[in-house]
């Protein structure tokens, strides 16, 4: 058996390492911030005990009713327990971009042009999705 | 009439509103914990079970359930990714082009899902789930598909690999064909993943394995990793549109991940074939309920 043949590529190892650290960091922050939210240490935008009255509403109605933030508006409200939890949620949603940014220099160094282009396009797609520019229109 | 009174006029939700608030997140945690066990034993991703069952039996609006479903599938995929990549089972060269197409399409799917009326999405979800059941029952799998000759596109992208197949005690070389046809399928898969908040392993694996000729083990592992990219783009759309409620998302992620860990332990001691049929029955039931709900009779 030639162990070189089954060797995992450098960029794949780099992606895995960053993903591993970032994922556990994101999950830990998510759990800790959620405990803070449940504990009531911080004030909340919507009282937690009132949530059963509202979680059956369509998201558009929910946003409209509470004038709740959309896009990155939650960042201005991280002092509220419910929106603090969004830090962990956004981290989980954002770490794929981080992984791509880590492998991009490796792909460039290897002059792997097709994959450099694919990685740049993927970062652009994820940043566009995260930007809040795209709107669904609503039902 | 305000949105709250419109919603409250439906009756069932009023009853749910009178229940102590923590009952539902706790029930959700227990339910997703069990779901995590069943999903691992049944060989499916938790996301595909989560959305139809939670939207059918919990009082949350479908918008919030779909967003939570995406985060459940995303968290499971992120957790599995590092190990699969390091062991060379998930293949980055195969995943990156597929992910670009699927994640772009998932954005369209998410926007469509949030724009369409809820009953239409519910109906389409039900039809999709019933179709998944049919695929699960009928689709054959091939451990080592026959690829007579890799196509030009896969050769130029160098999508090929070797992995150690422990069951055979040897290295298995693989390459792929029908790359363009396979990649184009991920437009549809991405749209469906984004629209319904489903992990798309049920569709990824047959396309990678049967259409493109990727060995089953590499297909399953690459699909598991792939969801972390596909679902990320759709998850951002739901997050930006205010469709994410931490009180639904966090217990779901915690429950399904704890359940999956227990499920992995139990895997060696159970008969997955029986569990698989239970999963199929659960999906069929949830799919039919979604169809009825979409038609306004559920």
């Amino acid at each position: 058996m030639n162990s070189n043949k089954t060797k995992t590529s450098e960029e794949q190892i780099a992606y895995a390492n960053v993903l591993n650290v970032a994922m556990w960091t994101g999950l830990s922050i998510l759990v800790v911030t959620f405990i803070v939210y449940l504990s009531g240490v911080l004030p909340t935008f919507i009282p937690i005990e009132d949530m059963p009255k509202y979680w059956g509403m369509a998201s558009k109605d929910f946003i409209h009713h509470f004038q709740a933030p959309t896009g990155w508006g939650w960042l201005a409200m991280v002092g509220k327990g419910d929106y603090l939890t969004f830090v962990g949620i956004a981290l989980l949603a954002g770490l794929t971009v981080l992984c791509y940014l880590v492998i991009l220099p490796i792909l460039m160094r290897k002059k792997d042009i097709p994959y450099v282009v694919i990685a740049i396009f993927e970062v652009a797609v994820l940043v566009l999705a995260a930007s809040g520019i795209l709107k669904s229109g609503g039902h | 009439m305000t949105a709250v009174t419109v919603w409250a006029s439906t009756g069932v939700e009023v009853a749910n509103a009178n229940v102590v608030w923590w009952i539902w997140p706790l029930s959700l945690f227990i339910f997703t914990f069990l779901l995590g066990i069943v999903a691992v034993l049944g060989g499916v991703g938790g996301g595909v079970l989560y959305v139809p069952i939670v939207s059918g039996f919990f009082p949350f609006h479908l918008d919030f359930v779909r967003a939570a479903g995406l985060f459940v599938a995303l968290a499971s995929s992120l957790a599995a990714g590092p190990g699969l990549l390091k062991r060379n089972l998930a293949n980055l060269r195969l995943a990156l082009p597929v992910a670009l197409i699927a994640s772009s399409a998932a954005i369209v799917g998410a926007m469509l899902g949030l724009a369409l009326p809820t009953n239409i999405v519910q109906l389409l979800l039900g039809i999709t789930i019933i179709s998944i059941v049919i695929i699960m029952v009928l689709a054959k799998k091939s451990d080592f598909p026959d690829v007579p000759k890799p196509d030009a596109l896969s050769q130029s992208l160098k999508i090929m690999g070797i992995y150690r197949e422990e069951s055979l005690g040897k290295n298995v070389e693989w390459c792929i064909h029908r790359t363009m046809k396979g990649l184009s399928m991920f437009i549809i898969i991405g749209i469906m993943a984004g629209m319904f908040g489903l992990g798309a392993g049920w569709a990824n694996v047959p396309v990678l394995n049967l259409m493109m000729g990727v060995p089953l083990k590499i297909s399953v592992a690459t699909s598991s990793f792939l969801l972390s990219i596909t679902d990320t783009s759709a998850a951002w759309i739901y997050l930006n549109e205010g469709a994410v409620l931490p009180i639904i998302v966090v217990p779901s992620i915690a429950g399904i991940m704890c359940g999956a860990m227990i499920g992995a332990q139990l895997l060696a001691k159970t008969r997955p074939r029986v569990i698989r049929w239970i999963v199929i029955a659960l999906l069929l039931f949830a799919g039919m309920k979604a169809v009825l709900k979409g038609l306004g009779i559920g």
Side-chain angles (χ1 to χ4, degrees):
Chain A
M1 170 186 131
N2 184 349
S3 62
N4 278 337
K5 278 190 167 181
T6 54
K7 205 175 155 190
T8 309
S9 70
E10 182 187 356
E11 60 271 22
Q12 193 160 316
I13 293 285
Y15 195 112
N17 287 338
V18 177
L19 183 58
N20 194 32
V21 174
M23 186 272 301
W24 286 112
T25 307
L27 270 183
S28 307
I29 291 172
L30 184 65
V31 171
V32 170
T33 52
F34 189 67
I35 291 169
V36 171
Y37 171 38
L38 292 184
S39 72
V41 172
L42 290 176
T44 52
F45 182 63
I46 301 166
I48 198 166
E49 60 275 14
D50 289 346
M51 285 306 292
K53 294 181 200 161
Y54 307 117
W55 57 36
M57 296 166 77
S59 60
K60 287 278 187 295
D61 297 334
F62 183 91
I63 293 294
H64 177 73
H65 181 72
F66 288 104
Q67 294 299 302
T70 53
W72 286 83
W74 60 268
L75 261 182
M77 300 179 74
V78 288
K80 308 274 185 194
D82 29 6
Y83 283 97
L84 179 67
T85 318
F86 277 66
V87 175
I89 291 174
L91 267 173
L92 284 183
L95 58 89
T96 296
V97 172
L98 176 68
C99 293
Y100 270 85
L101 292 177
V102 167
I103 63 164
L104 201 49
I106 301 172
L107 295 170
M108 289 166 97
R109 178 162 46 76
K110 287 183 168 179
K111 295 191 171 53
D112 192 346
I113 304 301
Y115 278 79
V116 168
V117 173
I118 288 171
I120 289 172
F121 272 110
E122 184 65 65
V123 170
V125 165
L126 295 177
V127 169
L128 180 67
S131 69
I133 294 168
L134 301 171
K135 301 280 177 202
S136 68
H139 42 98
Chain B
M1 192 186 281
T2 67
V4 175
T5 49
V6 168
W7 168 73
S9 67
T10 57
V12 177
E13 288 80 359
V14 173
N16 289 323
N18 293 330
V19 173
V20 184
W21 70 269
W22 51 264
I23 292 289
W24 287 112
L26 180 65
S27 307
L28 191 60
F29 174 79
I30 295 167
F31 169 75
T32 50
F33 174 75
L34 297 173
L35 199 65
I37 296 174
V38 171
V40 169
L41 297 179
V44 295
V48 73
L49 287 165
Y50 179 91
V51 176
I53 298 178
V54 173
S55 67
F57 301 99
F58 282 76
F60 317 127
H61 192 274
L62 185 59
D63 288 350
F64 299 122
V65 176
R66 284 180 291 144
L70 279 170
F71 276 96
V72 161
L74 176 62
S76 307
S77 178
L78 290 171
L84 295 172
L85 286 169
K86 280 185 181 174
R87 281 186 286 152
N88 215 7
L89 291 173
N91 186 280
L92 201 63
R93 293 197 78 80
L94 172 62
L96 293 196
V98 172
L100 179 58
I101 291 166
S103 61
S104 306
I107 292 175
V108 177
M111 292 170 72
L112 272 174
L114 286 166
L116 287 170
T118 304
N119 62 327
I120 300 290
V121 179
Q122 190 95 49
L123 181 63
L124 293 174
L125 171 69
I127 294 168
T128 303
I129 296 296
I130 292 169
S131 307
I132 292 170
V133 170
I134 295 168
I135 290 171
M136 285 179 75
V137 172
L138 298 181
K140 291 179 172 51
K141 289 171 184 168
S142 174
D143 286 341
F144 308 104
D146 181 35
V147 179
K149 188 175 176 286
D151 60 8
L153 181 58
S154 72
Q155 280 184 306
S156 66
L157 291 173
K158 298 188 185 106
I159 302 175
M160 59 193 76
I162 304 174
Y163 74 101
R164 181 79 183 159
E165 179 55 66
E166 296 299 342
S167 64
L168 301 175
K170 65 174 188 179
N171 291 344
V172 174
E173 289 194 40
W174 60 271
C175 55
I176 64 170
H177 59 175
R178 304 186 201 117
T179 308
M180 190 55 89
K181 205 192 253 183
L183 289 177
S184 59
M185 290 299 290
F186 283 94
I187 298 173
I188 302 164
I189 295 172
I191 288 175
M192 291 171 94
M195 185 183 282
F196 302 124
L198 303 173
W202 54 273
N204 291 343
V205 174
V207 172
L208 291 171
N209 180 233
L210 298 176
M211 187 178 279
M212 298 170 78
V214 181
L216 185 60
K217 205 173 259 188
I218 304 294
S219 299
V220 172
T222 303
S223 165
S224 296
F225 163 67
L226 197 56
L227 296 181
S228 70
I229 310 170
T230 311
D231 289 353
T232 288
S233 59
W236 275 116
I237 301 297
Y238 282 88
L239 187 57
N240 286 326
E241 293 278 315
V244 172
L245 288 184
I247 203 154
I248 300 174
V249 170
V250 184
S252 303
I253 290 177
I256 211 138
M257 290 188 84
C258 293
M261 280 187 252
I262 302 292
Q265 301 285 324
L266 291 175
L267 197 55
K269 302 171 194 162
T270 53
R271 293 167 61 200
R273 201 174 165 79
V274 175
I275 305 288
R276 186 168 173 80
W277 282 106
I278 294 172
V279 167
I280 286 171
L282 269 175
L283 275 174
L284 189 61
F285 181 55
M288 281 160 54
K289 180 150 173 74
V291 167
L292 293 174
K293 227 175 158 179
L295 294 171
I297 47 178

